[in-house]
């Protein structure tokens, strides 16, 4: 990793005093429910060099219970987010095209299970993916870096993630406003952190070249 490594211990101590991360506006979130919205999403996402990516699944509560997710796939540019419910026919082909594209890089956090889950659930072969959780951790950092720590590190802000919303029923056909914003933020913040990391990396490289 180039740039300054994420210092989890220092950030956790500072986190309560940081201002809140504003997050994406509800008006910038599109739940893909028909072919017109799917086509708009496809065109916008396929035109990008990189997009934010995440998934949500209905939680399992019993030992041995198998997950049937992902139930929601979130994709975002810098100014918009599109949410695809995997139970809906609308958007399936657009989602497949974007996720399988080799030219559009998918950026996210903690993507270890997404590849297998999307293949099993939707027959989608995920291509060109970057897991920031792996990239951003320093040499002494145990585990992967999460979105909360990354937002604190790069933006000096506190990403608020509701446990209640995170463990809600993502298989519900009717998603709440809280679910829409939670899901969209997870995807968009990954892309914004990626841009900040690239800028920091470029700055570090230039600095190293100055004698």
């Amino acid at each position: 990793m180039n740039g300054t490594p994420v210092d989890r211990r220092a950030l956790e101590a500072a986190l309560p005093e940081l201002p809140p991360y504003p997050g994406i506006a509800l008006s910038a979130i599109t739940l893909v429910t028909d072919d017109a919205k799917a086509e708009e999403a496809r065109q916008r996402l396929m035109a990008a060099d990189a997009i934010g990516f995440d998934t949500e699944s209905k939680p399992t509560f019993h030992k041995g219970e198998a997950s049937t997710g992902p139930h929601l796939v979130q994709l975002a540019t810098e100014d918009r987010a599109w949410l695809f419910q995997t139970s809906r026919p609308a958007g399936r082909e657009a989602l497949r095209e974007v996720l399988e594209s080799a030219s559009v890089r998918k950026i996210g956090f903690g993507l270890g299970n997404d590849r297998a889950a999307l293949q099993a659930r939707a027959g989608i072969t995920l291509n060109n993916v970057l897991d920031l959780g792996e990239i951003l951790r320093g040499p002494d950092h145990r585990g992967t870096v999460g979105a909360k720590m990354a937002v604190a590190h790069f933006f000096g802000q506190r990403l608020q993630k509701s446990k209640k919303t995170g463990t809600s029923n993502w298989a519900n056909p009717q998603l709440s406003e809280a679910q829409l914003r939670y899901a969209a933020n997870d995807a968009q913040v990954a892309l914004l952190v990626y841009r900040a990391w690239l800028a920091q990396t470029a700055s570090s490289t230039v600095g190293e070249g100055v004698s």
Side-chain angles (χ1 to χ4, degrees):
M1 170 191 160
N2 292 316
T4 306
V6 174
D7 185 339
R8 173 178 285 177
R9 184 174 298 177
L11 289 172
E12 284 179 343
L15 208 55
E17 306 302 320
L18 296 179
Y21 175 76
I24 190 170
L26 194 62
S27 59
I29 303 170
T30 298
L31 183 63
V32 178
T33 55
D34 56 45
D35 291 340
K37 290 176 180 176
E39 178 58 18
E40 178 201 17
R42 187 193 69 79
Q43 290 184 18
R44 291 285 300 277
L45 293 164
M46 288 298 294
D49 65 314
I51 58 176
F53 163 63
D54 197 26
T55 68
E56 304 293 345
S57 299
K58 177 183 177 181
T60 57
F61 297 103
H62 304 291
K63 186 177 181 180
E65 182 182 359
S67 172
T68 57
H71 298 100
L72 189 72
V73 179
Q74 308 100 267
L75 302 174
T77 60
E78 283 87 351
D79 60 352
R80 290 207 63 84
W82 290 268
L83 311 185
F84 296 79
Q85 292 172 299
T86 56
S87 61
R88 289 183 185 268
R92 284 180 185 168
E93 289 310 308
L95 183 63
R96 179 188 303 279
E97 182 177 348
V98 175
L99 292 182
E100 293 190 347
S101 170
S103 62
V104 181
R105 174 166 279 190
K106 276 66 72 174
I107 314 295
F109 287 93
L111 303 178
N113 297 325
D114 289 285
R115 190 181 300 275
L118 281 165
Q119 181 66 55
R121 169 78 170 171
I124 292 173
T125 303
L126 201 54
N127 198 1
N128 194 2
V129 179
L130 179 69
D131 191 334
L132 287 173
E134 297 289 345
I135 295 295
L136 295 178
R137 65 179 181 178
D140 299 320
H141 192 115
R142 287 189 175 185
T144 60
V145 174
K148 273 188 176 183
M149 292 298 108
V151 168
H153 176 78
F154 286 101
F155 306 139
Q157 295 174 325
R158 185 177 73 258
L159 178 64
Q160 298 167 296
K161 291 175 67 84
S162 164
K163 185 176 181 181
K164 180 180 179 181
T165 304
T167 57
S168 59
N169 183 6
W170 294 101
N172 194 330
Q174 302 295 325
L175 298 177
S176 67
E177 288 188 4
Q179 285 179 305
L180 295 176
R181 291 200 65 186
Y182 181 103
N185 271 326
D186 273 358
Q188 191 184 59
V189 80
L191 178 62
L192 299 181
V193 167
Y194 171 69
R195 299 296 190 202
W197 171 69
L198 286 180
Q200 185 186 80
T201 301
S203 177
S204 297
T205 302
V206 170
E208 289 170 2
V210 176
S211 57

